[in-house]
Amino acid sequence: MPSQPASAPPDLPSSVQIVPGEGGLPLVRVTGSAGSAEVYLHGAHVTAWAPVGQEPVLWLSAASRFTDGAAIRGGVPICFPWFGAKAGHPGAPAHGFARLLDWALVDAREERDDVVLTLGLADSDATRASGWPHPFEARYTVTIGEHLTLALHVTNRGREPVQFEAALHTYLRVRDIRATEVAGLQGAPFIDQLAGPGARPGEHSPIRFDAETDRAYLGTQATTTVHDTGARRTITVAKDASNSTVVWNPWIAKAAAMADFGNDEWTGMLCIETCNIRDDAVALAPGESRTMTAVLSVGG
Ligand code: TA6
């Protein structure tokens, strides 16, 4: 998909550099006093984050593509303005166009121990060509430090009401998914995306993994805690203005079926996705905005 017109990058603080990344794609490299990160303008895609003193928190496939028209495999893909396949548009890209387009770096600044990047995307011939004709403006604020805060702010710039889905499709690194437990979603009903429509009743125990797992929890604002027992650490994903959480691990067969996913990489990752999808899709009146936020933290 053609890129958005590049805008002049802002003045950059010394903690921020724009360098050629994988595939020659522009990469914003952040080395802050409390944490470091890498963000590609392609998809406004955060591909790495680590608080100072911590192992990397995000997972990135060694087989990922870094080319126009393809999503980076890992990090935090932005799924917008739809999640999964676009109903009635078999040719539309899965998970929307936001992760396939170049975003503009609108601002970069230091705020105490954090570095705050703001990236922007607006409607264009490319977005309208994907079967979503709506004027919009998106701002994505990435705050890098002891925590990683991701805030997706969408404004309806059209004269008609609009409805959209959004997901911060976060790939977390874990030592071994088979020794990992997810707490916080107990009791929340979920749709098992592998078993077709219809919500399953909530479960009373934390989630453990022994097969491909693809669950959409709807109507929940809960913080999710990943207990990575192999690494003896926890990763929490708190959220604001998000009513859905997706939990996904492809396991063996699905991993082997993806060209941009190493056959053995499934053991080292888990997606905890901060979303508004399906019944939780967002409706905006003309001129109205909504911000969905995820906050990632690492604990002992
Ligand atoms: O969020 C889970 C999911 O919808 C899975 O069904 C799987 O398709 C995954 O997203 C990855 O999708 P992608 O289009 O990035 O390959």
Side-chain angles (χ1 to χ4, degrees):
M1 276 185 168
S3 303
Q4 297 269 321
S7 60
D11 293 336
L12 300 178
S14 60
S15 54
V16 179
Q17 296 175 299
I18 301 180
V19 298
E22 296 288 338
L25 297 177
L27 166 63
V28 182
R29 180 167 287 146
V30 174
T31 309
S33 57
S36 60
E38 296 192 342
V39 184
Y40 281 83
L41 297 185
H42 178 68
H45 201 127
V46 181
T47 52
W49 168 62
V52 166
Q54 278 287 349
E55 292 294 310
V57 180
L58 302 180
W59 175 88
L60 184 68
S61 173
S64 179
R65 291 169 293 200
F66 290 87
T67 56
D68 279 346
I72 296 168
R73 176 67 67 188
V76 185
I78 299 174
C79 304
F80 172 82
W82 61 84
F83 184 82
K86 180 170 173 32
H89 292 74
H95 290 327
F97 47 66
R99 64 179 184 168
L100 302 175
L101 291 173
D102 291 349
W103 292 52
L105 181 62
V106 174
D107 188 47
R109 66 184 58 209
E110 293 173 355
E111 288 185 1
R112 295 179 297 283
D113 292 337
D114 291 338
V115 176
V116 184
L117 306 179
T118 302
L119 299 103
L121 182 74
D123 57 281
S124 64
D125 292 344
T127 65
R128 288 184 286 271
S130 71
W132 205 73
H134 306 292
F136 74 94
E137 182 177 335
R139 283 284 183 274
Y140 187 47
T141 306
V142 180
T143 304
I144 296 141
E146 183 188 357
H147 310 279
L148 177 66
T149 301
L150 307 168
L152 180 64
H153 180 88
V154 176
T155 302
N156 177 359
R157 289 293 186 217
R159 288 196 288 264
E160 302 296 327
V162 70
Q163 181 164 300
F164 66 90
E165 295 175 302
L168 299 174
H169 194 297
T170 305
Y171 287 76
L172 301 173
R173 275 167 60 116
V174 295
R175 187 64 54 85
D176 187 340
I177 188 64
R178 295 161 295 193
T180 297
E181 195 171 86
V182 171
L185 295 168
Q186 291 95 310
F190 62 92
I191 295 174
D192 180 343
Q193 315 241 76
L194 304 172
R200 304 282 177 102
E203 297 177 341
H204 300 297
S205 52
I207 307 166
R208 294 189 67 82
F209 302 86
D210 59 11
E212 180 182 359
T213 303
D214 192 348
R215 296 181 169 188
Y217 291 82
L218 303 181
T220 176
Q221 297 80 38
T223 293
T224 302
T225 300
V226 176
H227 294 279
D228 180 357
T229 52
R232 286 198 293 275
R233 79 173 177 181
T234 61
I235 303 171
T236 59
V237 182
K239 58 182 195 171
D240 182 63
S242 157
N243 291 317
S244 328
T245 297
V246 170
V247 178
W248 178 60
N249 180 281
W251 216 251
I252 302 166
K254 180 67 76 68
M258 292 185 281
D260 61 347
F261 199 118
N263 290 356
D264 300 330
E265 291 185 313
W266 59 275
T267 60
M269 56 70 65
L270 172 63
C271 283
I272 300 292
E273 305 164 33
T274 303
C275 319
N276 284 307
I277 61 171
R278 310 290 184 262
D279 296 350
D280 297 326
V282 176
L284 292 181
E288 196 179 7
S289 300
R290 181 74 63 84
T291 302
M292 178 178 77
T293 304
V295 182
L296 278 63
S297 306
V298 180

